[in-house]
Amino acid sequence: MDTYDKGLPIIASWASLGIAIVVTIIAAWGFYPYSAEYHQWRTVSGDVTDVNSRILSTGKSSINQRFVVEIDGQAYGCDDTRCASVKVGDVLTISCKREWQYAGVDGYGCNFVSNEARA
């Protein structure tokens, strides 16, 4: 044993190991759920079969409106007000990411990309 095997260097190496473990645990928790579908934006396009809207509470004194657009049988929540102009039969393109919910069914949160109205 020499001076590098005791004292402050040993404490620093154990502290570094502890910090690395804590960072790994926080990163693993932060990326839950682990499916890439929850962390990547994916483009969805298709014929709109139904359009609705929901009023959601976002805090003590504020609300938000979410438009629910059904494309080829799958419901997507659109947070963009341009989704209000979408009609049944239009070809809608949105960019979506899966949203995890603690006590509910996971859904999709989407942003507007484009809309092609059919005459």
Side-chain angles (χ1 to χ4, degrees):
M1 288 181 81
D2 58 13
T3 58
Y4 295 108
D5 295 330
K6 53 188 167 189
L8 190 58
I10 291 290
I11 293 170
S13 64
W14 281 107
S16 299
L17 179 64
I19 290 170
I21 289 171
V22 168
V23 167
T24 302
I25 290 170
I26 290 172
W29 178 76
F31 282 107
Y32 181 82
Y34 301 116
S35 173
E37 189 176 23
Y38 291 88
H39 305 285
Q40 296 175 351
W41 291 96
R42 299 184 180 194
T43 302
V44 176
S45 185
D47 294 329
V48 176
T49 55
D50 193 18
V51 180
N52 288 303
S53 68
R54 306 282 189 268
I55 302 296
L56 306 171
S57 173
T58 58
K60 289 184 178 181
S61 62
S62 63
I63 59 172
N64 191 13
Q65 185 172 11
R66 176 174 267 195
F67 299 95
V68 181
V69 180
E70 190 173 301
I71 299 175
D72 300 328
Q74 175 67 45
Y76 298 94
C78 184
D79 296 325
D80 198 316
T81 57
R82 291 175 286 185
C83 287
S85 64
V86 175
K87 305 285 187 246
V88 173
D90 290 355
V91 177
L92 179 65
T93 303
I94 50 181
S95 181
C96 301
K97 184 167 58 168
R98 193 105 164 133
E99 293 179 337
W100 183 79
Q101 292 185 5
Y102 175 70
V105 178
D106 296 352
Y108 291 92
C110 305
N111 292 321
F112 183 88
V113 175
S114 69
N115 182 26
E116 294 176 26
R118 295 219 175 143

